[in-house]
Coordinates of all heavy atoms in Angstrom, one line a residue:
M1161 N 11.9 -5.6 2.3 CA 11.4 -4.4 1.9 C 11.5 -3.4 3.0 O 11.4 -3.8 4.2 CB 10.0 -4.5 1.4 CG 9.8 -5.3 0.1 SD 8.1 -5.3 -0.5 CE 7.5 -6.7 0.4
K1162 N 11.8 -2.2 2.6 CA 11.8 -1.1 3.6 C 10.5 -0.3 3.6 O 10.1 0.2 2.5 CB 13.0 -0.1 3.3 CG 14.3 -0.7 3.4 CD 15.4 0.3 3.1 CE 16.7 -0.3 3.1 NZ 17.8 0.7 2.8
F1163 N 9.8 -0.2 4.7 CA 8.5 0.5 4.8 C 8.7 1.9 5.4 O 9.3 2.0 6.4 CB 7.6 -0.3 5.6 CG 7.1 -1.6 5.0 CD1 7.8 -2.8 5.1 CD2 5.9 -1.6 4.2 CE1 7.4 -3.9 4.5 CE2 5.5 -2.7 3.6 CZ 6.2 -3.9 3.7
T1164 N 8.0 2.8 4.7 CA 7.9 4.2 5.3 C 6.4 4.3 5.4 O 5.6 4.3 4.4 CB 8.5 5.2 4.4 OG1 9.8 4.9 4.2 CG2 8.3 6.6 5.0
I1165 N 5.9 4.4 6.7 CA 4.4 4.4 6.9 C 4.0 5.8 7.5 O 4.6 6.2 8.5 CB 4.1 3.3 7.9 CG1 4.5 1.9 7.2 CG2 2.6 3.3 8.2 CD1 4.3 0.7 8.1
Y1166 N 3.0 6.4 6.9 CA 2.5 7.7 7.3 C 1.0 7.5 7.8 O 0.3 6.6 7.3 CB 2.5 8.7 6.2 CG 3.8 8.9 5.6 CD1 4.2 8.3 4.4 CD2 4.7 9.8 6.2 CE1 5.5 8.5 3.8 CE2 6.0 10.1 5.6 CZ 6.4 9.4 4.4 OH 7.6 9.7 3.9
G1167 N 0.6 8.4 8.6 CA -0.8 8.5 9.0 C -1.3 9.9 8.7 O -0.7 10.9 9.1
K1168 N -2.3 10.0 7.9 CA -2.9 11.3 7.5 C -4.3 11.4 8.2 O -5.2 10.6 8.0 CB -3.1 11.3 6.0 CG -3.6 12.7 5.5 CD -3.7 12.6 3.9 CE -4.3 13.9 3.4 NZ -4.4 13.8 1.9
N1169 N -4.4 12.4 9.1 CA -5.6 12.6 9.9 C -5.8 11.4 10.9 O -7.0 11.2 11.3 CB -6.8 12.9 9.1 CG -6.7 14.1 8.2 OD1 -6.0 15.0 8.6 ND2 -7.2 14.0 7.0
M1170 N -4.8 10.7 11.2 CA -5.0 9.6 12.2 C -3.6 9.1 12.7 O -2.6 9.4 12.1 CB -5.7 8.4 11.5 CG -4.9 7.7 10.4 SD -5.7 6.3 9.7 CE -5.5 5.1 11.0
H1171 N -3.7 8.4 13.8 CA -2.5 7.7 14.4 C -2.4 6.3 13.8 O -3.4 5.6 13.8 CB -2.6 7.7 15.9 CG -1.5 6.9 16.5 ND1 -0.2 7.3 16.6 CD2 -1.6 5.7 17.1 CE1 0.5 6.4 17.2 NE2 -0.3 5.4 17.5
V1172 N -1.2 5.9 13.4 CA -1.1 4.5 12.9 C -0.5 3.7 14.0 O 0.6 3.9 14.4 CB -0.2 4.5 11.6 CG1 0.0 3.1 11.1 CG2 -0.7 5.4 10.6
S1173 N -1.2 2.7 14.5 CA -0.8 1.9 15.6 C 0.2 0.9 15.1 O 0.4 0.6 13.9 CB -2.0 1.1 16.2 OG -2.5 0.2 15.3
E1174 N 1.0 0.3 16.1 CA 2.0 -0.7 15.8 C 1.3 -2.0 15.2 O 1.8 -2.6 14.3 CB 2.8 -1.1 17.0 CG 3.8 0.0 17.4 CD 4.8 0.3 16.3 OE1 5.3 -0.6 15.7 OE2 5.1 1.5 16.1
G1175 N 0.0 -2.2 15.6 CA -0.7 -3.4 15.1 C -1.0 -3.2 13.6 O -0.9 -4.2 12.8
L1176 N -1.4 -2.0 13.1 CA -1.6 -1.8 11.7 C -0.3 -1.9 10.9 O -0.3 -2.5 9.8 CB -2.2 -0.4 11.5 CG -3.7 -0.2 11.7 CD1 -4.1 1.3 11.5 CD2 -4.5 -1.1 10.8
K1177 N 0.8 -1.3 11.5 CA 2.1 -1.4 10.8 C 2.5 -2.9 10.6 O 2.9 -3.3 9.5 CB 3.1 -0.7 11.6 CG 2.9 0.8 11.6 CD 4.0 1.5 12.4 CE 3.8 3.0 12.5 NZ 4.8 3.6 13.4
E1178 N 2.3 -3.7 11.7 CA 2.7 -5.1 11.6 C 1.8 -5.9 10.6 O 2.3 -6.7 9.9 CB 2.6 -5.7 13.0 CG 3.2 -7.1 13.1 CD 4.6 -7.2 12.6 OE1 5.4 -6.2 12.8 OE2 5.0 -8.2 12.0
A1179 N 0.5 -5.5 10.6 CA -0.4 -6.2 9.7 C 0.0 -5.9 8.3 O -0.1 -6.8 7.4 CB -1.9 -5.7 10.0
L1180 N 0.3 -4.7 8.0 CA 0.8 -4.3 6.6 C 2.0 -5.1 6.2 O 2.1 -5.7 5.2 CB 1.0 -2.8 6.5 CG 1.4 -2.3 5.2 CD1 0.3 -2.4 4.2 CD2 1.9 -0.9 5.3
R1181 N 3.0 -5.1 7.1 CA 4.3 -5.8 6.8 C 4.0 -7.3 6.6 O 4.6 -7.9 5.7 CB 5.3 -5.6 8.0 CG 5.8 -4.2 8.0 CD 6.9 -4.1 9.1 NE 7.4 -2.7 9.2 CZ 7.1 -1.9 10.2 NH1 6.3 -2.3 11.2 NH2 7.5 -0.6 10.2
K1182 N 3.2 -7.9 7.4 CA 2.9 -9.3 7.3 C 2.2 -9.6 6.0 O 2.6 -10.6 5.4 CB 2.0 -9.7 8.5 CG 1.9 -11.2 8.7 CD 1.2 -11.5 10.0 CE 1.5 -13.0 10.2 NZ 1.1 -13.4 11.6
K1183 N 1.3 -8.8 5.6 CA 0.6 -9.0 4.3 C 1.6 -8.9 3.1 O 1.4 -9.6 2.1 CB -0.5 -8.0 4.1 CG -1.8 -8.4 4.7 CD -2.3 -9.6 4.1 CE -3.7 -10.0 4.5 NZ -4.2 -11.2 3.9
F1184 N 2.6 -8.0 3.2 CA 3.5 -7.8 2.1 C 4.6 -8.8 2.1 O 5.4 -8.9 1.2 CB 4.1 -6.4 2.2 CG 3.3 -5.4 1.4 CD1 2.1 -4.8 1.8 CD2 3.7 -5.1 0.1 CE1 1.4 -4.0 1.1 CE2 3.0 -4.2 -0.7 CZ 1.8 -3.6 -0.2
E1185 N 4.7 -9.7 3.1 CA 5.7 -10.8 3.1 C 5.7 -11.7 1.9 O 6.7 -12.1 1.4 CB 5.6 -11.6 4.4 CG 6.1 -11.0 5.6 CD 5.9 -11.8 6.9 OE1 5.3 -12.9 6.8 OE2 6.4 -11.4 7.9
K1186 N 4.4 -11.9 1.4 CA 4.3 -12.7 0.2 C 5.0 -12.1 -1.1 O 5.2 -12.9 -2.0 CB 2.9 -13.1 0.0 CG 1.9 -12.0 -0.5 CD 0.5 -12.6 -0.6 CE -0.4 -11.6 -1.2 NZ -1.8 -12.2 -1.3
F1187 N 5.3 -10.9 -1.0 CA 5.9 -10.2 -2.2 C 7.5 -10.2 -2.1 O 8.1 -9.7 -3.0 CB 5.4 -8.8 -2.4 CG 4.0 -8.7 -2.7 CD1 3.1 -8.1 -1.8 CD2 3.5 -9.2 -3.8 CE1 1.7 -8.0 -2.1 CE2 2.1 -9.2 -4.1 CZ 1.3 -8.6 -3.2
D1188 N 8.0 -10.8 -1.0 CA 9.5 -10.7 -0.8 C 10.2 -11.4 -1.9 O 11.3 -11.0 -2.2 CB 9.8 -11.4 0.6 CG 9.6 -10.5 1.8 OD1 9.4 -9.3 1.6 OD2 9.5 -11.1 2.9
R1189 N 9.6 -12.4 -2.5 CA 10.3 -13.1 -3.6 C 10.4 -12.3 -4.9 O 11.2 -12.6 -5.7 CB 9.7 -14.5 -3.8 CG 8.3 -14.4 -4.3 CD 7.6 -15.8 -4.5 NE 6.2 -15.6 -4.6 CZ 5.3 -16.6 -4.5 NH1 5.8 -17.8 -4.4 NH2 4.1 -16.4 -4.6
Y1190 N 9.6 -11.3 -5.0 CA 9.6 -10.4 -6.1 C 10.4 -9.2 -6.0 O 10.9 -8.6 -6.9 CB 8.1 -10.0 -6.5 CG 7.3 -11.2 -6.8 CD1 6.2 -11.6 -5.9 CD2 7.5 -12.1 -7.9 CE1 5.4 -12.6 -6.1 CE2 6.6 -13.2 -8.1 CZ 5.6 -13.4 -7.2 OH 4.8 -14.5 -7.4
F1191 N 10.5 -8.7 -4.8 CA 11.2 -7.4 -4.5 C 12.4 -7.7 -3.6 O 12.3 -8.6 -2.7 CB 10.3 -6.4 -3.8 CG 9.0 -6.1 -4.5 CD1 7.8 -6.6 -4.2 CD2 9.1 -5.2 -5.6 CE1 6.7 -6.2 -4.9 CE2 8.0 -4.9 -6.4 CZ 6.8 -5.4 -6.0
G1192 N 13.4 -6.9 -3.8 CA 14.6 -7.1 -2.9 C 14.4 -6.4 -1.6 O 13.4 -5.7 -1.4
Q1193 N 15.4 -6.6 -0.7 CA 15.3 -6.0 0.6 C 15.5 -4.5 0.6 O 15.1 -3.9 1.5 CB 16.3 -6.7 1.6 CG 16.0 -8.1 1.9 CD 16.8 -8.6 3.1 OE1 17.7 -7.9 3.6 NE2 16.5 -9.8 3.6
E1194 N 16.1 -4.0 -0.5 CA 16.3 -2.6 -0.6 C 15.1 -1.8 -1.2 O 15.0 -0.6 -1.3 CB 17.5 -2.3 -1.4 CG 18.8 -2.8 -0.7 CD 19.0 -2.2 0.6 OE1 18.9 -1.0 0.8 OE2 19.3 -3.0 1.6
T1195 N 14.1 -2.6 -1.6 CA 12.9 -2.0 -2.2 C 12.1 -1.1 -1.2 O 11.9 -1.6 -0.1 CB 11.9 -3.0 -2.8 OG1 12.6 -3.8 -3.7 CG2 10.7 -2.4 -3.4
E1196 N 11.8 0.1 -1.5 CA 11.1 1.0 -0.6 C 9.6 0.9 -0.9 O 9.2 0.9 -2.0 CB 11.6 2.4 -0.8 CG 13.0 2.6 -0.4 CD 13.5 4.0 -0.4 OE1 12.7 4.9 -0.3 OE2 14.7 4.2 -0.5
V1197 N 8.8 0.8 0.2 CA 7.4 0.8 0.1 C 6.9 2.0 0.9 O 7.2 2.1 2.1 CB 6.8 -0.5 0.7 CG1 5.3 -0.5 0.7 CG2 7.3 -1.7 -0.1
Y1198 N 6.1 2.9 0.3 CA 5.5 4.0 1.0 C 4.0 3.7 1.2 O 3.3 3.5 0.3 CB 5.7 5.3 0.2 CG 7.2 5.6 0.0 CD1 7.9 5.3 -1.2 CD2 7.9 6.3 1.0 CE1 9.2 5.6 -1.3 CE2 9.2 6.6 0.8 CZ 9.9 6.2 -0.4 OH 11.2 6.5 -0.5
A1199 N 3.6 3.8 2.5 CA 2.2 3.5 2.8 C 1.6 4.7 3.5 O 2.3 5.2 4.5 CB 2.1 2.3 3.7
T1200 N 0.5 5.1 3.1 CA -0.2 6.2 3.8 C -1.6 5.7 4.2 O -2.4 5.4 3.4 CB -0.4 7.4 2.8 OG1 0.9 7.8 2.4 CG2 -1.0 8.6 3.6
F1201 N -1.8 5.7 5.5 CA -3.1 5.4 6.1 C -3.9 6.7 6.3 O -3.3 7.7 6.8 CB -3.0 4.7 7.4 CG -2.4 3.3 7.4 CD1 -1.1 3.1 7.5 CD2 -3.3 2.2 7.2 CE1 -0.6 1.8 7.4 CE2 -2.8 0.9 7.2 CZ -1.4 0.7 7.3
S1202 N -5.1 6.7 6.0 CA -5.9 8.0 6.2 C -7.4 7.7 6.4 O -7.9 6.6 6.1 CB -5.7 8.9 5.0 OG -6.2 8.4 3.8
K1203 N -8.1 8.7 7.0 CA -9.5 8.6 7.2 C -10.2 9.6 6.3 O -9.7 10.8 6.2 CB -9.9 8.9 8.6 CG -9.5 7.8 9.6 CD -10.0 8.1 11.0 CE -9.6 7.0 11.9 NZ -10.1 7.3 13.3
E1204 N -11.2 9.2 5.7 CA -12.0 10.2 4.8 C -13.5 9.9 5.0 O -14.0 8.9 4.6 CB -11.6 9.9 3.3 CG -12.2 10.9 2.3 CD -11.7 10.5 0.9 OE1 -10.5 10.8 0.6 OE2 -12.6 10.1 0.2
K1205 N -14.1 10.8 5.7 CA -15.5 10.6 6.1 C -15.7 9.3 6.8 O -15.2 9.1 7.9 CB -16.4 10.8 4.9 CG -16.4 12.2 4.3 CD -17.4 12.4 3.2 CE -17.2 13.8 2.6 NZ -18.2 14.0 1.6
N1206 N -16.5 8.4 6.2 CA -16.8 7.1 6.9 C -15.8 6.0 6.4 O -16.1 4.8 6.7 CB -18.2 6.7 6.7 CG -19.2 7.7 7.3 OD1 -18.8 8.3 8.3 ND2 -20.3 7.8 6.7
F1207 N -14.8 6.3 5.6 CA -13.9 5.3 5.0 C -12.5 5.4 5.6 O -12.0 6.4 6.0 CB -13.9 5.5 3.5 CG -15.2 5.2 2.8 CD1 -15.9 6.3 2.3 CD2 -15.6 3.9 2.6 CE1 -17.1 6.0 1.7 CE2 -16.8 3.7 2.0 CZ -17.6 4.7 1.5
Q1208 N -11.9 4.2 5.6 CA -10.5 4.1 6.0 C -9.7 3.8 4.7 O -10.1 2.9 4.0 CB -10.3 2.9 6.9 CG -11.2 2.9 8.1 CD -10.8 3.9 9.2 OE1 -9.6 4.0 9.4 NE2 -11.7 4.5 9.9
M1209 N -8.7 4.6 4.4 CA -8.0 4.5 3.1 C -6.6 4.0 3.3 O -6.0 4.4 4.3 CB -8.0 5.8 2.3 CG -9.3 6.2 1.8 SD -9.2 7.7 0.9 CE -8.0 7.3 -0.4
L1210 N -6.0 3.3 2.3 CA -4.6 2.9 2.3 C -4.1 3.1 0.9 O -4.7 2.7 -0.1 CB -4.5 1.4 2.7 CG -3.0 0.9 2.6 CD1 -2.1 1.7 3.5 CD2 -3.0 -0.6 3.0
E1211 N -3.0 3.9 0.8 CA -2.3 4.1 -0.4 C -0.9 3.6 -0.3 O -0.2 3.8 0.6 CB -2.2 5.6 -0.7 CG -3.6 6.3 -0.7 CD -3.4 7.9 -0.8 OE1 -2.4 8.3 -1.3 OE2 -4.4 8.5 -0.4
I1212 N -0.6 2.8 -1.3 CA 0.7 2.1 -1.4 C 1.5 2.6 -2.6 O 0.9 2.6 -3.7 CB 0.6 0.6 -1.5 CG1 -0.1 0.0 -0.2 CG2 2.0 -0.1 -1.6 CD1 0.7 0.1 1.1
T1213 N 2.7 3.0 -2.5 CA 3.5 3.4 -3.6 C 4.9 2.7 -3.5 O 5.5 2.8 -2.5 CB 3.8 5.0 -3.6 OG1 2.5 5.6 -3.6 CG2 4.5 5.4 -4.9
I1214 N 5.3 2.1 -4.6 CA 6.6 1.3 -4.7 C 7.3 1.9 -5.9 O 7.0 1.4 -7.0 CB 6.4 -0.2 -4.8 CG1 5.5 -0.7 -3.6 CG2 7.7 -0.9 -4.8 CD1 5.1 -2.1 -3.7
P1215 N 8.3 2.7 -5.7 CA 9.1 3.2 -6.9 C 10.1 2.1 -7.3 O 10.8 1.5 -6.5 CB 9.8 4.4 -6.4 CG 9.6 4.4 -4.9 CD 8.6 3.4 -4.5
M1216 N 10.1 1.8 -8.6 CA 11.1 0.9 -9.1 C 11.7 1.4 -10.4 O 11.2 1.2 -11.5 CB 10.3 -0.4 -9.5 CG 9.7 -1.1 -8.2 SD 8.9 -2.6 -8.6 CE 10.3 -3.6 -9.1
G1217 N 12.8 2.2 -10.2 CA 13.4 2.8 -11.4 C 12.5 3.8 -12.1 O 12.0 4.7 -11.5
K1218 N 12.2 3.5 -13.3 CA 11.3 4.4 -14.1 C 9.9 4.1 -14.0 O 9.0 4.7 -14.6 CB 11.8 4.4 -15.6 CG 13.1 5.0 -15.8 CD 13.4 5.1 -17.3 CE 14.8 5.8 -17.5 NZ 15.1 6.0 -18.9
T1219 N 9.6 3.1 -13.2 CA 8.2 2.6 -13.0 C 7.8 2.8 -11.6 O 8.6 2.6 -10.7 CB 8.0 1.1 -13.4 OG1 8.4 1.0 -14.8 CG2 6.6 0.7 -13.2
I1220 N 6.5 3.2 -11.4 CA 6.0 3.3 -10.0 C 4.8 2.4 -9.9 O 3.8 2.5 -10.7 CB 5.5 4.8 -9.8 CG1 6.7 5.7 -9.8 CG2 4.8 4.9 -8.4 CD1 6.4 7.2 -9.7
L1221 N 4.8 1.5 -8.9 CA 3.6 0.6 -8.7 C 2.8 1.3 -7.6 O 3.3 1.8 -6.6 CB 4.1 -0.7 -8.2 CG 4.9 -1.6 -9.1 CD1 5.3 -2.9 -8.4 CD2 4.2 -1.8 -10.4
R1222 N 1.5 1.4 -7.9 CA 0.6 2.2 -6.9 C -0.7 1.4 -6.7 O -1.2 0.9 -7.7 CB 0.4 3.5 -7.5 CG -0.5 4.4 -6.7 CD -0.1 5.8 -6.8 NE -1.1 6.8 -6.3 CZ -1.4 6.9 -5.0 NH1 -0.8 6.1 -4.1 NH2 -2.3 7.7 -4.6
A1223 N -1.1 1.4 -5.5 CA -2.4 0.8 -5.2 C -3.1 1.7 -4.1 O -2.4 2.2 -3.3 CB -2.2 -0.6 -4.6
E1224 N -4.4 1.8 -4.3 CA -5.2 2.6 -3.4 C -6.5 1.9 -3.2 O -7.2 1.6 -4.1 CB -5.4 4.0 -4.0 CG -6.2 4.9 -3.2 CD -6.3 6.3 -3.9 OE1 -5.3 6.8 -4.3 OE2 -7.5 6.8 -3.9
E1225 N -6.9 1.8 -1.9 CA -8.2 1.1 -1.6 C -8.8 1.8 -0.4 O -8.1 2.3 0.5 CB -8.1 -0.4 -1.3 CG -7.8 -1.2 -2.5 CD -8.9 -1.3 -3.5 OE1 -10.1 -1.1 -3.1 OE2 -8.6 -1.6 -4.6
K1226 N -10.1 1.8 -0.3 CA -10.8 2.3 0.9 C -11.9 1.4 1.2 O -12.5 0.7 0.4 CB -11.3 3.7 0.7 CG -12.4 3.9 -0.4 CD -12.7 5.4 -0.5 CE -13.6 5.7 -1.7 NZ -14.0 7.1 -1.8
S1227 N -12.2 1.2 2.5 CA -13.2 0.4 3.0 C -13.7 0.9 4.4 O -13.2 2.0 4.8 CB -12.8 -1.1 3.2 OG -11.8 -1.2 4.2
E1228 N -14.6 0.2 5.0 CA -15.1 0.7 6.3 C -14.2 0.5 7.4 O -14.3 1.1 8.5 CB -16.5 0.0 6.6 CG -17.5 0.5 5.6 CD -18.9 -0.2 5.9 OE1 -19.0 -0.9 6.9 OE2 -19.8 0.1 5.1
D1229 N -13.2 -0.4 7.3 CA -12.2 -0.6 8.3 C -10.8 -0.8 7.7 O -10.7 -1.1 6.5 CB -12.5 -1.8 9.2 CG -12.5 -3.2 8.5 OD1 -12.3 -3.2 7.3 OD2 -12.7 -4.2 9.2
M1230 N -9.8 -0.5 8.4 CA -8.4 -0.5 7.9 C -8.0 -1.9 7.5 O -7.3 -2.1 6.5 CB -7.5 0.2 8.9 CG -6.2 0.6 8.2 SD -6.4 1.8 6.8 CE -6.8 3.3 7.6
A1231 N -8.4 -2.9 8.3 CA -8.0 -4.3 7.9 C -8.5 -4.6 6.5 O -7.8 -5.3 5.7 CB -8.5 -5.3 9.0
G1232 N -9.7 -4.2 6.2 CA -10.3 -4.4 4.9 C -9.6 -3.7 3.8 O -9.4 -4.2 2.7
S1233 N -9.1 -2.5 4.1 CA -8.3 -1.8 3.1 C -6.9 -2.4 2.9 O -6.5 -2.5 1.7 CB -8.0 -0.3 3.6 OG -9.2 0.4 3.7
I1234 N -6.3 -2.9 3.9 CA -5.0 -3.7 3.7 C -5.2 -4.9 2.9 O -4.5 -5.2 1.9 CB -4.4 -4.0 5.1 CG1 -4.0 -2.8 5.9 CG2 -3.2 -5.0 4.9 CD1 -3.6 -3.1 7.3
E1235 N -6.3 -5.6 3.2 CA -6.6 -6.9 2.5 C -6.9 -6.6 1.0 O -6.4 -7.2 0.1 CB -7.8 -7.5 3.1 CG -8.1 -8.9 2.6 CD -7.2 -10.0 3.2 OE1 -6.7 -9.8 4.3 OE2 -6.9 -11.0 2.5
A1236 N -7.6 -5.5 0.7 CA -8.0 -5.1 -0.6 C -6.8 -4.7 -1.4 O -6.7 -5.0 -2.6 CB -9.1 -4.0 -0.6
V1237 N -5.9 -3.9 -0.8 CA -4.7 -3.5 -1.5 C -3.8 -4.6 -2.0 O -3.3 -4.7 -3.1 CB -3.9 -2.5 -0.7 CG1 -2.5 -2.3 -1.2 CG2 -4.6 -1.1 -0.7
V1238 N -3.6 -5.6 -1.1 CA -2.7 -6.7 -1.3 C -3.3 -7.7 -2.3 O -2.7 -8.2 -3.2 CB -2.3 -7.4 0.0 CG1 -1.5 -8.6 -0.3 CG2 -1.5 -6.4 0.8
D1239 N -4.6 -7.9 -2.2 CA -5.3 -8.9 -3.0 C -6.0 -8.5 -4.3 O -6.5 -9.3 -5.0 CB -6.3 -9.7 -2.1 CG -5.6 -10.5 -1.0 OD1 -4.4 -10.8 -1.2 OD2 -6.2 -10.7 0.0
T1240 N -6.0 -7.2 -4.6 CA -6.7 -6.7 -5.7 C -6.0 -7.1 -7.0 O -4.8 -7.0 -7.1 CB -6.7 -5.1 -5.7 OG1 -7.5 -4.8 -4.5 CG2 -7.4 -4.6 -6.9
K1241 N -6.8 -7.6 -7.9 CA -6.3 -7.9 -9.3 C -6.6 -6.7 -10.2 O -7.8 -6.4 -10.3 CB -6.9 -9.2 -9.8 CG -6.4 -10.4 -9.1 CD -6.9 -11.7 -9.8 CE -6.4 -12.8 -9.0 NZ -6.8 -14.1 -9.5
P1242 N -5.7 -6.1 -10.7 CA -6.0 -4.8 -11.5 C -6.8 -5.1 -12.8 O -6.6 -6.1 -13.5 CB -4.6 -4.2 -11.8 CG -3.7 -5.4 -11.8 CD -4.3 -6.4 -10.8
E1243 N -7.6 -4.2 -13.1 CA -8.3 -4.1 -14.4 C -8.0 -2.8 -15.0 O -7.8 -1.8 -14.3 CB -9.8 -4.3 -14.2 CG -10.2 -5.7 -13.7 CD -11.7 -5.8 -13.4 OE1 -12.4 -5.0 -14.1 OE2 -12.1 -6.6 -12.7
P1244 N -7.9 -2.7 -16.3 CA -7.6 -1.4 -16.9 C -8.6 -0.3 -16.5 O -9.8 -0.6 -16.5 CB -7.8 -1.7 -18.4 CG -7.6 -3.2 -18.6 CD -8.1 -3.8 -17.3
G1245 N -8.1 0.8 -16.0 CA -9.0 1.9 -15.6 C -9.5 1.7 -14.2 O -10.1 2.6 -13.6
S1246 N -9.1 0.6 -13.4 CA -9.6 0.5 -12.1 C -8.6 1.2 -11.1 O -7.5 1.4 -11.4 CB -9.6 -1.0 -11.7 OG -8.3 -1.5 -11.5
P1247 N -9.1 1.5 -9.9 CA -8.3 2.2 -8.9 C -7.3 1.2 -8.2 O -6.6 1.7 -7.3 CB -9.3 2.8 -8.0 CG -10.4 1.9 -8.1 CD -10.5 1.4 -9.5
G1248 N -7.3 -0.1 -8.5 CA -6.5 -1.0 -7.9 C -5.0 -0.8 -8.3 O -4.6 0.2 -8.8
L1249 N -4.2 -1.9 -8.1 CA -2.8 -1.8 -8.4 C -2.6 -1.5 -9.9 O -3.1 -2.1 -10.7 CB -2.1 -3.2 -8.1 CG -0.6 -3.3 -8.2 CD1 0.1 -2.4 -7.2 CD2 -0.2 -4.7 -8.0
N1250 N -1.7 -0.5 -10.1 CA -1.4 -0.2 -11.5 C 0.0 0.3 -11.6 O 0.6 0.6 -10.6 CB -2.4 0.8 -12.1 CG -2.4 2.1 -11.3 OD1 -1.4 2.7 -11.1 ND2 -3.6 2.6 -10.8
S1251 N 0.5 0.4 -12.8 CA 1.8 0.8 -13.0 C 1.8 2.2 -13.8 O 1.1 2.3 -14.7 CB 2.6 -0.2 -13.9 OG 3.9 0.2 -14.2
T1252 N 2.6 3.1 -13.3 CA 2.7 4.4 -14.0 C 4.1 4.7 -14.3 O 5.0 4.5 -13.5 CB 2.2 5.5 -13.0 OG1 0.9 5.1 -12.5 CG2 2.1 6.9 -13.6
T1253 N 4.3 5.2 -15.5 CA 5.7 5.5 -16.0 C 6.0 6.9 -15.4 O 5.3 7.8 -15.4 CB 5.8 5.6 -17.5 OG1 5.4 4.3 -18.0 CG2 7.2 5.9 -18.0
Q1254 N 7.2 6.9 -14.8 CA 7.7 8.2 -14.2 C 8.5 8.9 -15.3 O 9.4 8.4 -15.9 CB 8.6 7.9 -13.0 CG 9.2 9.1 -12.4 CD 10.0 8.6 -11.2 OE1 10.0 7.5 -10.8 NE2 10.7 9.6 -10.6
W1255 N 8.1 10.1 -15.6 CA 8.8 10.9 -16.7 C 9.9 11.8 -16.1 O 9.9 12.4 -15.1 CB 7.8 11.8 -17.4 CG 6.8 10.9 -18.0 CD1 5.5 10.7 -17.6 CD2 6.9 10.1 -19.2 NE1 4.8 9.8 -18.4 CE2 5.6 9.5 -19.4 CE3 7.9 9.9 -20.1 CZ2 5.4 8.6 -20.5 CZ3 7.6 9.0 -21.2 CH2 6.4 8.4 -21.3

């Protein structure tokens, strides 16, 4: 997978980038090496947020989580099981 990593209102360290890539290794069997993953790390008041967007043709996979630390946000984004109407991983049709 190809990662494009942004930091909004913060600097993204190499350690955070590596932690994200390592967590996403378990998805390698589902996505090709050409799959693009857009990650945005940000700070919002007392929370650390991570937004992930994976465009796949006419479908967009999106996950967003916030926690008190960035490691918790990474963990939550990767391990969240979606429920209808939840802010976890969901699929949106691109029009």
Side-chain angles (χ1 to χ4, degrees):
M1161 290 185 277
K1162 295 180 181 178
F1163 287 86
T1164 304
I1165 300 172
Y1166 302 99
K1168 184 177 175 184
N1169 300 326
M1170 65 175 289
H1171 170 74
V1172 181
S1173 69
E1174 287 301 317
L1176 279 177
K1177 292 177 184 178
E1178 188 59 34
L1180 181 69
R1181 288 185 185 107
K1182 193 170 194 170
K1183 276 293 189 181
F1184 269 80
E1185 283 178 356
K1186 68 181 185 181
F1187 297 115
D1188 282 345
R1189 62 182 165 192
Y1190 302 111
F1191 300 107
Q1193 290 195 353
E1194 298 300 314
T1195 301
E1196 295 185 23
V1197 177
Y1198 298 96
T1200 303
F1201 290 93
S1202 62
K1203 288 184 180 180
E1204 185 179 289
K1205 296 186 182 180
N1206 296 331
F1207 293 103
Q1208 310 279 325
M1209 292 182 55
L1210 174 59
E1211 301 171 25
I1212 300 290
T1213 305
I1214 305 172
M1216 298 183 64
K1218 293 184 178 184
T1219 300
I1220 297 173
L1221 299 177
R1222 180 146 167 69
E1224 179 180 314
E1225 288 291 337
K1226 62 182 173 181
S1227 69
E1228 293 181 2
D1229 65 357
M1230 200 54 80
S1233 294
I1234 293 171
E1235 191 76 29
V1237 162
V1238 173
D1239 294 335
T1240 298
K1241 291 185 180 180
E1243 295 179 21
S1246 75
L1249 184 64
N1250 58 52
S1251 175
T1252 307
T1253 303
Q1254 181 179 351
W1255 301 101

